[in-house]
Structures are given as structure tokens and as C-alpha cells.
Amino acid sequence: MQVIRFDRQQGALRVEVRAGWANPGAYDLILWEADSNARVMEEAGNFLNSADDSYTLPGPASAHDGRIVEAFVTITPVDEQGRYSASLRISQGGEVLGDVSVSGESAEHTVMLDLFARLEATP
Amino acid sequence: MSRWTSPSLRAAACRAGVTACLTFAATLSLRAQDAPALAGNALRNRAAELSTQLAVPPSPAFALVSLEESAILRPTSFQQFATSLSSFAGAGGGFALPRAVGVELAPIFLARGKALSLDQYRAHPARYRLRLSGAIKRSDDATGSTAAALGLRLSLIDETDPRTHPDAARFLTSLAEKIVAICRRVDGPPSDDAEPGAVSCADPRGRVASLTAQLSALRASAPDSLRQGLERQLDAARARAERNQREIDAINGTLERFKQEWPGNAWNRNALDVAVAASAVSRDSLGSDPRFDVLAMWLSGARRWGEWGQLVGGVSARSARDSLGGDRHAGVSLGGGLFFGANRIKGFLQLSATAQQKRKPQGELTGGSEFYLLPGVWAQASLGWGQEAVTGHGRLVTHFALRTAFPQLLPSRGGS
């Protein structure tokens, strides 16, 4: 699992879900508690408007140490090749800390992607 | 062709005076590998495309340098384009072009594709629909004279493009939301050794595979209670995965039906296309003594008229060098028509006029019908009156064509 490190002393963490190739789609964003099956936050969205696909994780940055941020993304590829691309971007104070992205081509009507990363605070 | 089912009617019409002609044109894999709006373009069975005089060619450069489909490259990425070019490397490391080659791509869409959001596309759809085409063809004769052409096509308005059609984009999104809701049922986070990627929402954590592997790994000496516990968990995981898969299959079925019906709903939507192309010829394959050959421009528009009709209009202009005398001559064609009916059967009335230098203007009035026969097979018939170009005498114009347009239907699969 990809690990994304952040500064526990800095500002809030932000997560953005993005899709490429101008494909329609939707996602479910989950913030998992560290070492637990509990959901700290859950948001649903779609790619009709990218302005509302960025979320501030609740609480101070230090609270997210060990938590897992995950996005289930479903894309309906429009073009013939079934090209798709989606990413989960984590940032802090305007700086991009990491990007989990998946892209490819599919012959299916829908492509389901699972994007996730563990958040770790730097000392 | 787009994965979205659509008969394509781009083959050239055969107009031969009073002699009826039969065209049997297989239009396989017509377009769409490259362009964003191919979704839109290829799923058009729009009335304007019925008329060759009004239609903007899908690849303008190929209209000036005729190429076989097998000679055309339609790269889906710049990397693929570079790879295609590297295949032309000669034995000595040089660059050896084949006898005929054409390239068609949507440069802006390809450049921004991976990061291009739906709303960015919708803000400037024409920009991303821009398609460039280029072609080179060397003659078979001893001289090796070579023709080269460049063209561009711009779809300024394309209401058959599902990305820009608000209802279509919203509907596709709503289906994606339903599948995401199935994924959301997971009961815990991904494991430490999991990697991001494509999954099935039927069983996103791969519980069935994991439990199956655990059962297989159990030693014969393992307690029965442990084995039975795993078997119960596996049965429950399988039942849940099957239930989820049925829901996903139903959603994909709805999506497939929508894609099949979309061309029928979209045949008479508004459209505005423009294209330009130019070609040059050289005396040999080295490009000696190049001469400008043809400059051509096309503009066509279509406007929906209620649920059953479409008004179309178009103009094309061409300036070409006479292959014998070397003189240049120019010509302009204008046309307009009314198409009416439904996707599976349409009637049309069409008026066109052509003016060329040193020739009498020609006019033609035709009416006819196009109708669906079998899956992938369409017939078009028309009857009209026109003027001979040289004598100016009237003549009967008939046209009959059978066309195949094999839809690239996706099999009914259950999604990833």
C-alpha cells in the first residue's frame, strides 16, 4: 500500500478525486480509522463538476496518522478504446503530497477502480 | 467506430446518370480510435451524412489522397504514435516510409487526455474534437511520384456527443453512482499488501479468492471446526458477491441498452462541422519539384426540426491543378435538404448546385429514402433530376446502395 507522509504540525489535509479522458463517473471517498474498520468520513460524488471533488479531512492533521484514505471510482468510458484514468490526490497547505493514480483501457461498459493510501505523519 | 452502436453511412454515394449502381461498402472500424468526440461522431447516423455533397469528410487529408484503411494509423496516445513511427525505421537506421501511410489523431485531446475532466471538456468541446489528418502516397510507377496531404476537421457543434449532452452525461453518471454504492458495502479498509487498481465491486476485497486460498492451504490435520468455519465464511462471501454481481449486471444491461438506443435518439440533432485540406505532389519520392495540388474546404450544418426532421446545408469549395495542362480550376458546391423520419427509416429531399470554372453550373434535385434492413445492413435509394455538366441537358439521376455498418457491439458482460 502506498504511504503518503504529511507534516503533523501543518494545516489540514485535503483529498481530491479526479478522472481523466473526460469520462463521466462517480466515486465514494472513505477515510478509515487507523487499524480499525470504522469510517471516520465518507463522501460520495461524481465527475459532472470537478469543483466539488476536493475535500478537507476533518480535524487537525495529526489526527490522521495511520488512517487510510480510499476512493472507489466507477467510470463509464465513452470512447472506443475505453480509455480511463482516475487519481486520488492528497495535499497539505497547497502542496501536493502524493497522487495515487490508475489508468488503462477497458472493453467493459463500466470500470471500477480502488484507489487508496495510508497517511503517515512525519515526526 | 465507436463502441456505441451506430450504422455508419459515410461510404461515397454512387451517382451515375440513369444507370443505377450498387454499392456494397463494408465500413469496419471507421473511426474513433482517436478522437474524443468520436463517441459523438461515430454514433452519428445523422441525416447530413447521407449526402456526400454536403458531408464534411471525417478525415479531410484522406479525401485528397485516397488510402486503404490498413494504411491508416490512428494512435490513441503520443507514445503509440512514436512507436508507430519507429516501425518505419529502415535497415540502416534511416527512415523508410511505406508506399502509403496516413495518420489521424486528436492532438489536444491526446495531450491532455489523462487529466482532462468532463467539465473541462464541456467548456471547450470543439478544441478537444479537433482532428488532424495527414497522408502520403507514392505511385507504383517508375517515377515514384508522391502525393502528400494535410487536413483538419473541427466539430463546432455536435449534439450527438454524449459528453456534452447534459441528459446523456447525467444518465451515465447515475449508473456509475449505483455501482459505486455497491462498492461502498465493504466492511473494512484494504489490506496492507493490497495495491490500487481495477476491482470488481461484486467483491472489491477479493474475499472469495482469499478464503478459497485459505481453505486450500489447510492441512488435513486441521480441526474440522476451523475448516467448517472457513467454509461458512466462503459460502457467505460467494453469496454476497453473486448478489452484487447481479446488480452490476443489471446496471451494465441498462447502460448497453442506452448506448444502443442513443444513435436512434440522436440522428437528427444539431451539428456544425468544418474541414480544410491541402495536398501537394512531387516528381519523385524524395520530394523533388513539389507542386501545390489541391486546396479544399467543407462546411456543413444540421438543425433539428422537431422529433422527426432535420434541415441540413453545406458548402464545399475546391481549387485544383489540372493533371494534364497544369492550369488551376476552382469549383464550389452548395446544397441543402430536408431529412425526415426516424433512425431506421428516413426520407429526404435534397437540392444541390455546383459551379466550376469553364463549365456550366449544374443542379440536382433528388429525393429518396434510407432504411434499415438487417442488423448492420442499410439500403439507400433515391431518384432525382439533374443537369449534365458539359451539355447542360437534363437527366434522370438514380442511386441505390446497400451498405454494411457492422456495429462494434460489446458483448453483454458484467463489468469488471
Side-chain angles (χ1 to χ4, degrees):
Chain A
M1 182 181 304
Q2 186 171 334
V3 173
I4 292 178
R5 294 189 167 79
F6 62 94
D7 187 337
R8 66 170 72 241
Q9 307 298 332
Q10 296 298 312
L13 297 179
R14 284 187 72 78
V15 179
E16 186 181 7
V17 188
R18 299 140 52 101
W21 298 110
N23 283 319
Y27 61 87
D28 194 55
L29 178 69
I30 305 170
L31 179 65
W32 297 98
E33 187 54 271
D35 305 317
S36 164
N37 289 344
R39 301 177 192 217
V40 178
M41 182 185 102
E42 184 161 8
E43 298 284 350
N46 61 52
F47 301 123
L48 285 174
N49 171 14
S50 57
D52 57 2
D53 297 326
S54 186
Y55 303 87
T56 301
L57 299 188
S62 58
H64 301 301
D65 191 13
R67 287 177 172 172
I68 292 171
V69 61
E70 180 176 35
F72 284 114
V73 178
T74 297
I75 287 169
T76 53
V78 174
D79 64 18
E80 165 62 19
Q81 292 71 42
R83 285 176 288 201
Y84 64 83
S85 170
S87 71
L88 179 68
R89 175 171 288 182
I90 290 96
S91 58
Q92 185 178 33
E95 182 190 354
V96 176
L97 302 176
D99 215 347
V100 182
S101 60
V102 173
S103 58
E105 295 181 2
S106 171
E108 306 293 346
H109 290 310
T110 50
V111 179
M112 295 161 255
L113 304 172
D114 189 9
L115 310 176
F116 49 84
R118 183 187 302 281
L119 304 172
E120 277 188 12
T122 53
Chain B
M1 186 184 291
S2 161
R3 64 203 316 210
W4 295 47
T5 311
S6 168
S8 187
L9 301 168
R10 297 172 203 272
C14 177
R15 296 174 190 278
V18 294
T19 309
C21 67
L22 181 71
T23 305
F24 194 75
T27 45
L28 275 171
S29 128
L30 214 110
R31 325 217 33 73
Q33 285 89 330
D34 45 343
L38 284 184
N41 285 333
L43 53 80
R44 277 178 204 160
N45 174 22
R46 66 182 197 217
E49 306 261 340
L50 295 174
S51 165
T52 52
Q53 286 182 320
L54 305 186
V56 172
S59 308
F62 306 159
L64 302 191
V65 176
S66 59
L67 288 178
E68 292 177 10
E69 186 67 25
S70 59
I72 297 171
L73 306 174
R74 291 193 171 99
T76 58
S77 67
F78 285 116
Q79 290 92 332
Q80 195 184 69
F81 182 45
T83 305
S84 303
L85 291 182
S86 68
S87 68
F88 299 143
F95 196 68
L97 274 179
R99 193 184 69 78
V101 64
V103 177
E104 186 192 16
L105 48 80
I108 302 174
F109 187 72
L110 282 188
R112 297 209 52 200
K114 267 192 179 178
L116 181 65
S117 69
L118 184 59
D119 49 351
Q120 286 170 331
Y121 179 93
R122 291 164 77 159
H124 305 285
R127 180 187 299 176
Y128 297 110
R129 291 175 190 146
L130 170 73
R131 292 210 305 275
L132 300 181
S133 50
I136 294 178
K137 190 175 183 180
R138 202 168 59 240
S139 71
D140 287 329
D141 60 28
T143 66
S145 63
T146 302
L150 282 174
L152 69 84
R153 175 179 170 143
L154 200 54
S155 292
L156 297 168
I157 300 171
D158 182 0
E159 290 190 353
T160 63
D161 183 350
R163 287 182 171 104
T164 49
H165 193 283
D167 294 342
R170 206 170 294 126
F171 184 73
L172 294 172
T173 298
S174 72
L175 295 181
E177 285 169 342
K178 287 180 181 173
I179 291 180
V180 159
I182 298 171
C183 263
R184 190 183 300 153
R185 295 170 188 165
V186 292
D187 49 15
S191 61
D192 284 344
D193 58 352
E195 291 297 330
V199 293
S200 167
C201 284
D203 184 15
R205 299 290 186 237
R207 289 277 293 161
V208 171
S210 161
L211 289 166
T212 303
Q214 284 180 48
L215 261 176
S216 303
L218 271 188
R219 295 184 178 183
S221 57
D224 283 349
S225 58
L226 178 60
R227 184 180 302 278
Q228 286 163 359
L230 279 175
E231 283 172 349
R232 276 196 299 275
Q233 286 183 53
L234 179 58
D235 287 344
R238 276 192 180 133
R240 190 158 94 158
E242 284 169 10
R243 199 168 52 243
N244 289 343
Q245 189 60 54
R246 278 196 297 275
E247 289 182 47
I248 294 169
D249 289 345
I251 294 165
N252 278 315
T254 305
L255 187 51
E256 183 165 333
R257 281 192 299 280
F258 176 77
K259 288 182 176 183
Q260 286 174 343
E261 289 166 7
W262 176 251
N265 294 335
W267 76 272
N268 61 346
R269 293 193 192 279
N270 298 336
L272 182 61
D273 295 318
V274 61
V276 293
S279 68
V281 291
S282 68
R283 194 159 40 82
D284 56 30
S285 60
L286 300 174
S288 308
D289 190 20
R291 281 187 295 177
F292 177 66
D293 191 33
V294 179
L295 175 66
M297 184 279 288
W298 300 262
L299 173 72
S300 84
R303 182 158 183 81
R304 183 178 184 145
W305 193 358
E307 293 299 312
W308 53 270
Q310 187 182 46
L311 290 167
V312 300
V315 56
S316 67
R318 187 181 176 102
S319 171
R321 187 174 56 85
D322 191 314
S323 59
L324 297 176
D327 295 338
R328 298 204 66 78
H329 52 90
V332 177
S333 292
L334 291 166
L338 169 66
F339 294 78
F340 49 91
N343 185 46
R344 290 197 166 198
I345 181 163
K346 304 176 192 74
F348 61 89
L349 284 170
Q350 182 181 307
L351 182 64
S352 63
T354 301
Q356 281 185 297
Q357 280 180 327
K358 301 173 188 172
R359 285 193 169 189
K360 291 181 181 175
Q362 283 178 272
E364 193 172 292
L365 175 66
T366 52
S369 177
E370 190 218 46
F371 44 91
Y372 168 92
L373 293 175
L374 298 165
V377 182
W378 293 69
Q380 187 186 3
S382 66
L383 178 67
W385 179 87
Q387 272 181 306
E388 289 284 356
V390 179
T391 64
H393 294 154
R395 63 179 176 137
L396 188 65
V397 179
T398 63
H399 165 227
F400 179 74
L402 277 180
R403 299 216 171 86
T404 59
F406 300 114
Q408 293 185 344
L409 264 180
L410 292 177
S412 183
R413 282 171 286 193
S416 317

